[in-house]
DNA sequence: TGACAAATGCAACTAAGTTGCGTTAGTATA
DNA sequence: TATACTAACGCAACTTAGTTGCATTTGTCA
């Protein structure tokens, strides 16, 4: 996980300004244990007393993805979620309460198969999305 | 892949009426080599001279999913896609032209790890979503 | 301190999906 | 073949996620 100082260093290097919105945005992302949607981000910022327009949030996300700081995650619903770029990992999503948990799995056989596809099919796999759905301990009666 | 006769039998058993829209809907789904979005379905029906409201399509999808005939697929964008329930498989999605291809992969190690999570973590995995993104042979210059 | 451009806010928009309700039309039965 | 029941449908109005253009604000550096 990139720590916040590291991120601010990247921003400085790119001559990006340190606005208070941006500061709060970085802090919020680094503190969140789960991926956040734009509406999540807006409401968290609001509770911190920072009123931002959704356009700003969408544009900030765009910039951070371009810099490789943020990653987009699909969790099965209509929204996009975002988390700081980090060690490649996946998620457990509870179908009942929507809680999201990180999970590390051994992808070696998956990667082997991807390489096989790259060789044999004429399709070059660049990334994959792998998410697990089920019931968390609270919802699993 | 369930063939159309099989589907019609299910519909009859459930006392669901065979409207011309429904007939076209089943045909279209069974003929499509790739998952379809609601807008895909609407425009294909239109080219066949069948004018349907999007509400009808959404409700038809809902019924078919409840019957286990249809499955929902997320392909990374904001839309949901649908395909006939069939052998469990995954997709190759071209990031350039958005073409979708089916892919069969060996999931045995994945399933083993899921069972391990079910045992060790208090999280019961019920399903997963695994999609591959990259460049198809036409777009891979 | 002033100037420049990055960053922001606002309004208006599109696209995906949902809901309620009145109307249409398959289908079983007589 | 006519009738009645209700599944299926269409329409309008709505919500939510995300986008675009443009005028205004505000960090930052000289």
């Amino acid at each position: 996980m990139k720590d916040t100082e590291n991120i601010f260093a990247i921003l400085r290097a790119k001559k990006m300004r340190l606005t208070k919105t941006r500061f709060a945005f970085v802090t919020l992302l680094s503190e969140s244990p789960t991926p956040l949607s734009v509406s999540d981000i807006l409401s968290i910022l609001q509770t911190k007393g920072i009123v931002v327009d959704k356009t700003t949030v969408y544009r900030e996300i765009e910039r951070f993805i371009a810099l490789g700081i943020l990653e987009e995650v699909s969790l099965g619903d209509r929204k996009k979620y975002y988390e700081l770029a980090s060690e490649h990992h996946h998620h457990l999503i509870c179908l009942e309460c929507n809680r999201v948990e990180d999970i590390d799995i051994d992808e070696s056989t998956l990667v082997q198969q991807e390489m096989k596809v790259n060789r044999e099919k004429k399709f070059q796999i660049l990334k994959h999305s792998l998410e697990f759905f089920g019931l968390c301990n609270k919802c699993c009666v």
Side-chain angles (χ1 to χ4, degrees), chain A:
Chain A
M1 163 105 68
K2 285 191 176 64
D3 72 328
T4 53
E5 270 321 304
N6 197 342
I7 293 173
F8 290 131
I10 295 172
L11 298 179
R12 270 195 304 277
K14 295 285 174 181
K15 308 245 181 269
M16 287 171 71
R17 295 171 183 177
L18 190 55
T19 62
K20 46 181 165 303
T21 298
R22 180 163 291 158
F23 184 84
F25 184 75
V26 171
T27 308
L28 166 171
L29 284 167
S30 69
E31 284 172 354
S32 174
T34 61
L36 299 172
S37 68
V38 169
S39 51
D40 294 335
I41 294 170
L42 283 170
S43 56
I44 295 174
L45 285 177
Q46 206 162 26
T47 64
K48 293 189 177 186
I50 299 169
V51 181
V52 203
D53 194 80
K54 60 175 177 170
T55 313
T56 303
V57 174
Y58 279 110
R59 289 200 267 237
E60 196 68 356
I61 287 169
E62 199 179 23
R63 290 167 196 140
F64 274 51
I65 288 179
L67 290 174
I69 297 172
L70 256 198
E71 272 175 9
E72 191 181 273
V73 189
S74 288
L75 300 181
D77 60 358
R78 212 149 67 83
K79 296 181 207 165
K80 292 288 175 67
Y81 293 79
Y82 305 93
E83 62 183 3
L84 289 182
S86 62
E87 300 302 306
H88 183 62
H89 68 278
H90 300 284
H91 302 98
L92 292 168
I93 301 122
C94 179
L95 293 166
E96 202 49 44
C97 68
N98 298 317
R99 205 158 60 87
V100 179
E101 217 175 297
D102 284 0
I103 181 177
D104 283 313
I105 65 147
D106 174 17
E107 290 192 332
S108 49
T109 45
L110 202 60
V111 172
Q112 278 170 28
Q113 293 188 69
E114 286 185 8
M115 293 193 306
K116 196 167 160 234
V117 172
N118 284 353
R119 274 198 314 274
E120 294 178 4
K121 284 206 167 206
K122 279 144 260 143
F123 198 107
Q124 194 193 349
I125 296 175
L126 298 172
K127 60 177 182 176
H128 63 240
S129 125
L130 172 59
E131 313 298 340
F132 300 90
F133 300 87
L135 297 170
C136 75
N137 56 336
K138 280 168 197 153
C139 298
C140 182
V141 250

